[in-house]
């Protein structure tokens, strides 16, 4: 049955290319080859002792060794009748293996898929690229596909081939620059990378899969074939109610968390998603927050980046468990009525050699020109959003998290750096756009397209921009010329108000505008008021550490500030530890200072934040018209001498009076106009003894007088506690 004639066999130069790992078209020489009516079977298995081909019909052919691991045999064409496959029976030194020949399988990606990938318009990119457990011709295995149009050769490597890039070179689909290969009998859990020869023929560092759905735990950098079994979601009730929870006017209060340092194990280790679910979720829900926002959990190599230098844009970090574990975490959040927002980083990526940098030996994902493609501040590359394939990749990543993991929103990092070509660059260090301007037209188009798609595909999800400039229309819909985000972080409000709070009260009269200026532009966008992680790092200290005065005054200042924030128009966001009045700056390598809660002043701040959240969510006047000027009215905004601020929050039916005294001086007989008479009840007093305050107030309620003040028909005569915020509503 076997003919070992060399007539028509493999050419010596093909053997040389296979042995050197430089063959650009392995399917032309390996596997079954029909030439002039003759069937040739070939395999490249360096180190193998013997190789046989075993037909599914039972026929056996011995492949004879040629040289350097190349095995070949000529078989009767009847050895492989139509629709019949074969297996390679391989004797290794000390081991035996039997599996189908990867080079006996046909094309995997269809022409339509290739055309859509090439155009950068494939809605299912993640289903084409990456590693997928599948079945081909009845054989189970893993299908690999990766975009690397300029590479001379791409191989998939892993433990299954001793990480030898010569063993599994892939097929190039020229129409899209995608390389593909089916490796039979592999399954999920297998670690792998890609080995590439660049356009100059040089061997590149082995690369993780850009579309990997799972990765090795750091410091490992390999990708992992993910379990294809879909997660069995139980959050139908949450998903059905999400539109109402995210509707304009719904209360949104976000607890921002770094999963690795919220709480640590006794040995300093990090908690798994399951362990975090047991501890973090009840805590956040019990504190009255509506949403949990996680600093980036897409796989990232360097822990000190806090996730802001991710490389696995489709893979939850293995630091806390598997993708299935993360899905279960989200599911459990939804079970208690807690939404999940992920920090997503489309602005840049790190230079790690196993990542996207010079992926196929060229500037593939990044701009070629460093004036466009390199962030000097962060030592990172910038995605080339002028390339359709890169836009498709990034868009697929965002939509993947919203779809695959039922995530309720994405906070998009560093949007300002995407919008401006001269961001953090001096003259001569940037390239103008085609009109000679500083705007990054490609990034603008990408954001509009992405946000438009999110609005269509996930109309009840949120896209939130961290945008620090005065770019117009960040939250306007794309069809109206906006960027299409649902919310924008109000960085100006954060910086202005923190600057005010840091000042000694004796100086605050001269900076009164820092607390009032936010209302000048409060309705230009849909805003989130953030007190984020950025404000407690890099030497800035903690929130409580920035408050002036003696110890009691510092805590009173922070409580008054929180009362002001929760009553001010805008959704709320607080980074973990702020609710504890943590004294030290945040350290990503250590857990929060939970021991501080033994101190009544720290415990009082925590209690206040919980009460503010519950008051905010349970009082429609504080949120229903959050983005509407009809929901706010200054009662007194110009009492700079006393550093007193008073305003009404309204929902069209009811109202709340907020009064802030930003000095340590109690103020009696302070008259403020209100829109209706009757009894007004104190619903929050940040100076209450339960919060660690002095207990100064109005005995829980005060009767309105029929005396007009501040343009309103009635008025209240109040005692204003020192360094405190009062919230009152009519009974």
């Amino acid at each position: 049955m076997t003919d070992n004639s060399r007539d028509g066999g493999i050419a010596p130069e093909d053997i040389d290319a296979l042995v050197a790992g430089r063959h650009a078209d392995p399917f032309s020489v390996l596997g079954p080859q029909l030439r002039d009516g003759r069937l040739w079977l070939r395999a490249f298995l360096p180190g193998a002792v013997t190789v046989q081909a075993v037909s599914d019909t039972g026929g056996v052919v011995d492949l004879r060794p040629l040289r350097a691991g190349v095995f070949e045999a000529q078989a009767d064409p009847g050895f492989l009748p139509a629709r019949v496959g074969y297996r390679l029976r391989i004797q290794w030194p000390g081991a035996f293996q039997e599996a189908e020949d990867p080079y006996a399988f046909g094309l995997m990606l269809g022409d339509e898929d290739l055309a859509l990938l090439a155009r950068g318009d494939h809605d299912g990119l993640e289903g084409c690229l990456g590693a997928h457990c599948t079945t081909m011709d009845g054989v189970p295995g893993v299908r690999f596909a990766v975009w690397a149009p300029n590479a001379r050769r791409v191989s998939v490597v892993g433990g299954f081939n001793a990480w030898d890039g010569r063993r599994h070179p892939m097929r190039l689909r020229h129409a899209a620059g995608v390389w593909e290969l089916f490796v039979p009998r592999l399954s999920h859990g297998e670690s792998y990378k890609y080995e590439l020869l660049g356009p100059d023929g040089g061997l590149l560092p082995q690369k993780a899969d850009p579309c990997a759905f799972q990765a090795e735990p750091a410091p490992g950098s390999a990708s992992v074939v993910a379990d294809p079994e879909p997660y069995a979601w139980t959050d139908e009730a949450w998903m059905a109610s999400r539109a109402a929870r995210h509707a304009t006017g719904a209360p949104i209060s976000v607890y921002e968390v770094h999963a690795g340092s919220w709480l640590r194990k006794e040995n300093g280790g990090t908690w798994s998603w399951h362990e975090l679910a047991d501890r973090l979720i009840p805590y956040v829900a019990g504190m009255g927050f509506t949403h949990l926002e996680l600093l980036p959990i897409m796989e990232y190599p360097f822990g000190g980046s806090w996730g802001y230098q991710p490389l696995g844009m489709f893979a939850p970090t293995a630091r806390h468990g598997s993708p299935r574990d993360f899905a279960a975490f989200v599911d459990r959040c939804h079970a208690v009525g807690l939404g999940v927002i992920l920090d997503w980083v489309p602005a840049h990526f790190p230079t790690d050699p196993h990542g996207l940098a010079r992926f196929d030996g060229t500037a593939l994902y990044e701009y070629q020109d460093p004036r466009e493609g390199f962030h000097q501040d962060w030592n990172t590359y910038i995605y080339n959003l002028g390339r359709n394939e890169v836009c498709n990749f990034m868009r697929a990543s965002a939509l993947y998290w919203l779809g695959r993991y039922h995530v309720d929103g994405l906070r998009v990092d560093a949007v300002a750096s995407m919008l401006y070509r001269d961001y953090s660059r001096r003259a001569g260090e940037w390239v103008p756009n085609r009109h000679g301007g500083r705007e990054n037209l490609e990034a603008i188009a990408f954001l509009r397209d992405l946000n438009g798609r999110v609005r269509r595909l996930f109309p009840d999800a949120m896209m939130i921009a961290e945008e620090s400039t005065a770019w117009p229309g960040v939250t306007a819909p794309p069809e109206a010329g906006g960027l299409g985000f649902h919310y924008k972080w109000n960085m100006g409000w954060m910086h202005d108000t923190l600057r005010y709070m840091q000042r000694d009260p004796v100086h605050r009269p001269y900076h009164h505008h820092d607390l009032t200026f936010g209302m000048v532009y409060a309705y230009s966008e849909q805003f989130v008021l953030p007190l984020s992680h950025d404000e407690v790092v890099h030497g800035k200290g903690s929130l409580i550490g920035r408050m002036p005065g003696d110890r009691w005054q510092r805590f009173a200042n922070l409580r008054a500030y929180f009362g002001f924030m929760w009553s001010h128009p805008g959704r709320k966001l607080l980074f973990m530890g702020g609710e504890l009045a943590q004294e030290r700056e945040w350290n990503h390598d250590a857990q929060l200072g939970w021991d501080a809660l033994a101190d009544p002043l720290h415990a009082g701040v925590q209690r206040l934040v919980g009460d503010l959240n519950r008051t905010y969510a349970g009082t429609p006047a504080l949120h229903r018209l959050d983005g509407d000027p009809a929901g706010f009215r200054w009662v007194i905004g110009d009492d700079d001498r006393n550093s007193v601020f008073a305003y009404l929050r309204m929902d069209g039916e009811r109202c709340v009076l907020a009064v802030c005294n930003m000095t340590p001086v109690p103020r009696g007989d302070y008259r403020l106009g209100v829109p209706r008479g009757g009894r007004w009840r104190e619903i929050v007093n940040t100076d209450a003894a339960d919060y660690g305050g002095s207990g100064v107030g109005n005995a829980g309620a005060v009767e309105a007088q029929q005396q007009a003040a501040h343009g309103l028909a009635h008025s209240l005569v109040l005692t204003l506690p020192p360094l405190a915020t009062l919230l009152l509503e009519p009974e």
Side-chain angles (χ1 to χ4, degrees), residues 2 25 37 77 80 102 164 172 220-221 229 289 357 404 415 464 469 551 567 594 601 626 636 661 672 682 699 714 728:
T2 304
D25 187 11
L80 289 178
D164 185 345
L172 174 61
S221 57
E229 186 68 23
F289 290 97
R404 170 70 174 83
V415 170
I464 306 165
T469 74
R551 189 168 189 269
S567 59
W594 297 102
L601 285 177
D626 217 17
I636 182 166
N661 176 16
L672 287 165
E682 278 185 359
H714 300 81
L728 302 99

Side-chain angles (χ1 to χ4, degrees), residues 399-411:
L399 298 177
Y400 180 76
W401 295 100
L402 295 172
R404 170 70 174 83
Y405 290 106
H406 289 203
V407 166
D408 303 292
L410 298 177
R411 179 265 192 187

Side-chain angles (χ1 to χ4, degrees), residues 39 55-57 76-85:
L39 176 64
S55 168
D56 292 347
T57 59
D76 188 294
F79 177 74
L80 289 178
R83 296 183 295 278
V84 171

Side-chain angles (χ1 to χ4, degrees), residues 230-302:
Y231 179 78
W233 291 92
T234 63
D235 64 348
E236 295 84 2
W238 167 269
M239 298 301 284
S241 68
R242 191 168 73 173
R245 295 174 183 270
H246 291 172
T248 302
I252 295 176
S253 181
V254 183
Y255 188 63
E256 187 188 30
V257 170
H258 177 255
S261 61
W262 180 76
L263 185 68
R264 292 270 183 144
K265 297 181 178 180
E266 289 186 3
N267 63 2
T270 57
W271 297 101
S272 70
W273 289 120
H274 293 303
E275 293 165 329
L276 279 170
D278 291 338
R279 296 160 176 82
L280 177 61
I281 294 174
Y283 177 80
V284 180
M287 286 291 294
F289 290 97
T290 64
H291 289 74
L292 171 66
E293 180 173 315
L294 296 169
L295 268 61
I297 55 90
M298 299 79 191
E299 192 58 76
Y300 56 100
F302 176 47

Side-chain angles (χ1 to χ4, degrees), residues 49-326:
V49 178
T50 62
V51 180
Q52 290 180 316
V54 183
S55 168
D56 292 347
T57 59
V60 179
V61 173
D62 294 318
L63 277 67
R64 76 181 181 108
L66 299 182
R67 59 182 172 92
V70 176
F71 292 80
E72 178 185 78
Q74 184 182 336
D76 188 294
F79 177 74
L80 289 178
R83 296 183 295 278
V84 171
Y86 68 94
R87 302 176 307 281
L88 294 176
R89 186 177 291 165
I90 309 165
Q91 183 64 59
W92 301 97
F96 175 79
Q97 177 187 5
E98 184 168 324
E100 288 75 10
D101 187 350
Y103 299 95
F105 294 88
L107 302 175
M108 292 178 291
L109 296 178
D111 291 341
E112 184 177 357
D113 284 325
L114 295 174
L116 291 170
L117 289 170
R119 291 204 306 266
D121 196 30
H122 202 305
D123 290 335
L125 175 143
E126 72 280 1
C128 293
L129 304 182
H132 295 269
C133 292
T134 188
T135 299
M136 290 195 69
D137 300 338
V139 178
V142 177
R143 170 174 62 82
F144 298 92
V146 62
W147 179 55
N150 303 304
R152 286 194 180 182
R153 185 264 293 170
V154 179
S155 300
V156 60
V157 296
F160 54 91
N161 60 17
W163 300 91
D164 185 345
R166 303 173 302 165
R167 285 279 310 279
H168 287 96
M170 306 171 77
R171 174 197 288 118
L172 174 61
R173 306 299 302 279
H174 292 269
V178 171
W179 300 75
E180 63 178 16
L181 186 70
F182 176 72
V183 181
R185 305 296 170 180
L186 284 190
S187 189
H188 59 86
E190 195 79 45
S191 297
Y192 71 99
K193 286 186 177 181
Y194 295 114
E195 185 179 277
L196 299 90
L197 295 184
D200 62 354
L203 185 65
L204 303 176
Q206 291 181 348
K207 298 285 189 177
D209 190 345
C211 289
F213 307 110
Q214 188 173 350
E216 284 185 329
S221 57
S223 302
V224 175
V225 179
D227 186 347
E229 186 68 23
Y231 179 78
W233 291 92
T234 63
D235 64 348
E236 295 84 2
W238 167 269
M239 298 301 284
S241 68
R242 191 168 73 173
R245 295 174 183 270
H246 291 172
T248 302
I252 295 176
S253 181
V254 183
Y255 188 63
E256 187 188 30
V257 170
H258 177 255
S261 61
W262 180 76
L263 185 68
R264 292 270 183 144
K265 297 181 178 180
E266 289 186 3
N267 63 2
T270 57
W271 297 101
S272 70
W273 289 120
H274 293 303
E275 293 165 329
L276 279 170
D278 291 338
R279 296 160 176 82
L280 177 61
I281 294 174
Y283 177 80
V284 180
M287 286 291 294
F289 290 97
T290 64
H291 289 74
L292 171 66
E293 180 173 315
L294 296 169
L295 268 61
I297 55 90
M298 299 79 191
E299 192 58 76
Y300 56 100
F302 176 47
S305 75
W306 320 325
Y308 285 100
Q309 294 197 8
L311 283 176
M313 296 302 289
F314 296 82
T317 178
R319 291 167 172 82
H320 308 292
S322 70
R324 182 176 296 274
D325 296 337
F326 176 66

Side-chain angles (χ1 to χ4, degrees), residues 12 141 193 214 282 312 334 679 725:
K193 286 186 177 181
Q214 188 173 350
H334 290 171
R679 188 175 173 87
T725 295

